[in-house]
């Protein structure tokens, strides 16, 4: 991680903003105003309760990371292991389960989850269909203990699959299939898959 600049919210003294911008301009104005508190170089000791790796990931993804210090136990964990996501139910906007997450598709260089392979239909593994959905179209619903999609069930069913034919999850996609997937979701290329 390069040099990190730490700011404190004047509106909420427990809220810290981490960014790679010395001016703090990348921090959300609605949580400010912000006061600069510390510069942390890559070789300096890290003294914050949030991990350096999490801060780096937030800065890489958004240009900043917000962290609120609290003495209360946290009932919700913002980080989850991939094997706990795999097998989790996917629900439509009305709360009806339409599928299950089979696997995450991660961009090798950045480590970002780009897509999720959702399976639905079938019985005892027969006639199972795979559809690939951009990860950012799903949001975790605590009340359902699963992921809710922001798209219609029909959009999911009509979506191309990242892999070969139905049920064939062993054939790695060719560039034509990758382009078809990006075109369907109007998704700009964010690096090789």
């Amino acid at each position: 991680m390069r040099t990190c600049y730490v700011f404190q919210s004047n509106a909420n003294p427990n809220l810290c903003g981490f960014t790679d911008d010395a001016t703090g301009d990348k921090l959300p104005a609605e949580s400010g105003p912000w006061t600069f508190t510390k510069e942390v170089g890559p070789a300096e000791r890290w003294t914050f309760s949030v991990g350096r790796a999490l801060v780096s990931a937030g800065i890489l993804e958004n240009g900043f990371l917000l962290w609120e210090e609290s003495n209360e136990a946290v009932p919700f964990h913002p980080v989850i292991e991939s094997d706990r996501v795999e097998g989790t139910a996917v629900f439509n906007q009305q709360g009806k389960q339409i599928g299950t997450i089979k696997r995450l598709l991660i961009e090798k260089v950045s480590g970002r989850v780009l897509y999720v392979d959702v399976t639905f239909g079938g019985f005892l593994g027969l006639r199972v269909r795979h559809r690939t959905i951009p990860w950012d179209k799903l949001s975790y619903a605590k009340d359902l203990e699963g992921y809710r999609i922001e798209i219609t069930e029909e959009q999911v069913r009509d979506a191309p699959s990242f892999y070969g034919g139905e049920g064939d999850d062993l054939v790695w996609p060719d560039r034509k299939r990758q382009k078809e997937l990006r075109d369907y979701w109007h998704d700009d290329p964010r690096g090789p898959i």
Side-chain angles (χ1 to χ4, degrees), residues 7-185:
F7 292 80
Q8 184 176 29
S9 169
N10 293 346
N12 178 356
N14 292 328
L15 185 62
C16 289
F18 299 86
T19 183
D20 59 356
D21 173 32
T23 65
D25 288 343
K26 293 181 181 178
L27 296 170
E30 62 272 10
S31 299
W34 296 95
T35 301
F36 173 78
T37 59
K38 188 173 186 177
E39 178 179 331
V40 182
E44 289 183 58
R45 185 167 176 260
W46 191 260
T47 59
F48 302 98
S49 62
V50 59
R52 188 182 287 243
L54 185 60
V55 169
S56 294
I59 291 173
L60 181 67
E61 180 78 17
N62 304 308
F64 65 90
L65 178 92
L66 300 183
W67 185 262
E68 186 169 8
E69 296 290 335
S70 174
N71 293 328
E72 297 176 22
V74 179
F76 177 69
H77 302 287
V79 177
I80 189 167
E81 300 90 349
S82 63
D83 61 340
R84 293 193 60 193
V85 175
E86 295 163 357
T88 303
V90 176
F91 297 89
N92 65 13
Q93 296 158 335
Q94 291 74 38
K96 175 187 164 207
Q97 183 176 348
I98 64 164
T100 304
I101 294 175
K102 168 87 174 179
R103 66 177 56 92
L104 305 176
L105 303 171
I106 302 169
E107 200 276 315
K108 289 181 184 180
V109 177
S110 71
R112 289 179 49 217
V113 175
L114 296 183
Y115 296 99
V116 60
D117 178 20
V118 176
T119 59
F120 59 96
F123 180 71
L124 297 175
L126 301 173
R127 302 177 83 68
V128 172
R129 296 175 302 223
H130 292 256
R131 292 297 177 259
T132 306
I133 302 169
W135 178 245
D136 59 6
K137 301 280 186 200
L138 287 91
S139 59
Y140 189 75
K142 287 192 259 184
D143 59 326
L144 297 172
E145 294 184 3
Y147 289 88
R148 179 174 278 138
I149 56 171
E150 301 173 4
I151 53 180
T152 67
E153 190 171 343
E154 292 73 33
Q155 285 177 293
V156 173
R157 292 188 190 280
D158 292 343
S161 176
F162 185 71
Y163 295 96
E166 291 301 331
D168 182 5
D169 60 358
L170 302 176
V171 178
W172 191 253
D174 56 21
R175 295 221 181 265
K176 180 182 174 197
R177 194 166 320 118
Q178 290 179 20
K179 182 177 179 341
E180 182 180 290
L181 183 64
R182 287 181 177 132
D183 289 348
Y184 181 83
W185 293 111

